[in-house]
Amino acid sequence: MNKFNLNSLIRENILNLVPYISARTEHQKEKKSIFLDANENSFGAPLSFLNSYNRYPDPLQKELKKKISDFKNVSPSQIFLGNGSDEIIDLVYRIFSRPEVDHVIIFPPTYGMYEVSGKIHGVDVIKIFLTKENYQLNLDKIEKFVNPNSKILFICSPNNPTGNDIKREDIENITKKFTGIVVLDEAYIDFSKQKSLSMEIEKFPNLIIIQTLSKSWGLAGLRIGIAIASEAIIQWMNKVKHPYNISMVSQKMAIKALENRDLFFFHLKNIILEREYLQKSLKKIPIIQKVYPSSANFLLAKINFSSKNLYQYLMKKKIVVRDRSKIILCDNCLRITVGTHEENEYLIDQIQKYSIQKIKM
Ligand SMILES: *Cc1c(COP(=O)(O)O)cnc(C)c1O
């Protein structure tokens, strides 16, 4: 990757973009000033506890980035925050891929948003399936499909919905070889024994790592996605994003949460313990053909009979899991999120009951 030239990958309309400069970008520092620059309501909100919300939020989320930077040991200049990871996926498409001209490559079965976002942008999505045996990358096939219009390659590790880590060596080798942008989605990395590649960002100028506060941090409702990449890539993302993409409420709440590391680690440990418990218990149930190894906070389980029937049975028992049986290489598979101990026990109990019924039939 010696000849990597970021600007040559960026769409021309983006290269020539003069970004919108918000009032708050220019005059952030002087907190005591009288702010008459952004057409906000100086009288305040109609509820006194909402009064600080009469101002626009920090467009670059500096305080929150500092907290994330301390936790993850990456420089704030290498961090971008999106309104959920989905905003980050959308931005990567907007910056790098030309509709009707370029294509991206994905590795199904994987997270659905990569393809949906491609369709929204009018960019072709080439699918190279993971290997059937262990859901790993099919390296030989990738090379056959890559050409100069291959702009983005999406790898998800640990992968959703299969739960396994993609071999780190494969990710590194592909990233070195690929001449476009590699997006490595690490939404579930905190549940894995595998280390994040975020420490190696200096080695890979074409790598964008996606993480999120939605899973291990338990903050899905705040909508905070994290991108970690070279400062040059982050600057392009900042230019293209909507000026105030993360609300003030979300920024404030996330800062508070990040100050509470002890409980974060406690929950993380418990989720991993519960995952092992659920794995062991499910494997003992006769109608469960296979529970795949998981490095995430969910399990993929293959059912001997129709997974749809079990799905509907569980629905009636007020348990909602995800039927993934229509997805390639996941026939008769349910994806089950790890719950609390009580939730998991109830789930196991219900599946056992269903299993007994089925076997009698
Ligand atoms: C849940 C998930 C995300 C997180 O999405 P947010 O928009 O940040 O909530 C990202 N990638 C994958 C693969 C996921 O499963």
Side-chain angles (χ1 to χ4, degrees), residues 134-200:
N134 52 2
Y135 296 134
Q136 290 296 323
L137 298 173
N138 199 331
L139 296 174
D140 301 338
K141 269 210 180 142
I142 298 172
E143 291 192 14
K144 277 184 209 146
F145 282 100
V146 172
N147 69 40
N149 289 340
S150 311
K151 281 298 170 66
I152 314 166
L153 207 144
F154 287 94
I155 302 173
C156 187
S157 180
N159 186 41
N160 178 3
T162 58
N164 61 293
D165 297 299
I166 303 296
K167 285 185 200 142
R168 190 186 171 99
E169 203 189 332
D170 290 354
I171 300 174
E172 292 195 16
N173 286 338
I174 286 183
T175 308
K176 273 184 213 147
K177 265 193 203 160
F178 188 60
T179 49
I181 295 291
V182 173
V183 172
L184 174 61
D185 190 338
E186 292 187 336
Y188 299 97
I189 194 69
D190 292 340
F191 303 106
S192 174
K193 287 194 183 124
Q194 185 84 254
K195 280 218 173 68
S196 166
L197 224 73
S198 57
M199 291 293 111
E200 319 279 328

Side-chain angles (χ1 to χ4, degrees), residues 82-89 110-114 155-161 185-188 210-215 219-226 297-298 335:
N83 196 316
S85 306
D86 301 335
E87 184 190 6
I88 295 169
I89 295 167
T110 193
Y111 187 45
M113 273 314 287
Y114 314 140
I155 302 173
C156 187
S157 180
N159 186 41
N160 178 3
D185 190 338
E186 292 187 336
Y188 299 97
I210 296 183
Q211 296 186 359
T212 178
L213 297 187
S214 295
K215 308 287 159 62
L219 296 170
L222 293 188
R223 311 304 306 125
I224 296 180
I226 303 167
N297 65 340
F298 57 83
R335 194 193 68 192

Side-chain angles (χ1 to χ4, degrees), residues 17-35:
L17 181 73
V18 180
Y20 174 76
I21 311 260
S22 70
R24 282 304 120 85
T25 323
E26 290 181 307
H27 298 290
Q28 265 261 304
K29 284 149 225 152
E30 291 118 69
K31 281 214 163 118
K32 287 206 185 102
S33 308
I34 297 171
F35 288 112

